Amino acid sequence: MFCAIVAGRAPASLVYRDPATLAFMDVNPVRPGHVLVIPTAHRAQIWELGEAESAAVYRRLPALASALKAAMAADAVTIFSLNGRAAGQTVFHLHFHLLPVHARDPLLRRRGRRVTFQLVQVRTARAELDALARRIRARLPDGAERAAGAP
Ligand code: 5GP
């Protein structure tokens, strides 16, 4: 499914692209600004990724997380990846979720040793996703912003 986005056959609100990595808005975000970062090569799970492919994706995460935090005026950013059906993975093309978190609306709650994540997805219109993608792109370092190649 994400291969169709990589190939430009399916719509997506692009945040960043280079030959090895693509970042775009999640269509059902759990928070406004929810970004997915994927290798452009089809790899279902992280253990299928070669070292060079892994490095190419990981090296983009700091700038993407930083741009996301600034664009959403967030207090924090949570990054996670579900690998395997038992982990809850639903799209079998490796992806990292980048979630902006505000202190007033925490993602993670602790009660003693009980730790829970509050993840509720909200279907979001393409125009809103495009606007958020633009906001995040504008916070990327110059070269990276141009690399997104989106309007
Ligand atoms: P997973 O549960 O596999 O970690 O997450 C898959 C994510 O992909 C979900 O958050 C879901 O909303 C998102 N998603 C599924 N299909 C599409 C799609 O066609 N486009 C975009 N942008 N996101 C998708």
Side-chain angles (χ1 to χ4, degrees), residues 51-65:
E51 278 188 18
E53 291 171 331
S54 172
V57 175
Y58 264 88
R59 68 202 288 254
R60 300 300 174 206
L61 292 182
L64 286 164

Side-chain angles (χ1 to χ4, degrees), residues 71-125:
M72 304 311 295
D75 298 300
V77 173
T78 295
I79 300 176
F80 66 87
S81 176
L82 308 177
N83 286 269
R85 201 178 294 279
Q89 186 177 10
T90 57
V91 174
F92 295 92
H93 184 136
L94 173 65
H95 50 279
F96 296 91
H97 297 262
L98 272 56
L99 295 174
V101 183
H102 294 89
R104 66 176 184 281
D105 187 18
L107 207 63
L108 181 153
R109 290 166 206 268
R110 290 181 199 275
R111 237 186 238 165
R113 292 188 181 162
R114 181 180 294 273
V115 182
T116 55
F117 277 94
Q118 307 281 329
L119 301 176
V120 179
Q121 295 183 296
V122 178
R123 182 92 196 168
T124 303

Side-chain angles (χ1 to χ4, degrees), residues 9-68:
R9 291 195 312 272
S13 303
L14 295 188
V15 172
Y16 175 79
R17 117 171 278 152
D18 67 29
T21 309
L22 193 66
F24 52 95
M25 306 311 295
D26 193 305
V27 80
N28 294 306
V30 301
R31 289 288 189 283
H34 183 168
V35 168
L36 300 175
V37 182
I38 67 168
T40 54
H42 183 85
R43 304 286 180 261
Q45 280 111 19
I46 196 158
W47 41 81
E48 294 183 3
L49 210 57
E51 278 188 18
E53 291 171 331
S54 172
V57 175
Y58 264 88
R59 68 202 288 254
R60 300 300 174 206
L61 292 182
L64 286 164
S66 171
L68 176 61

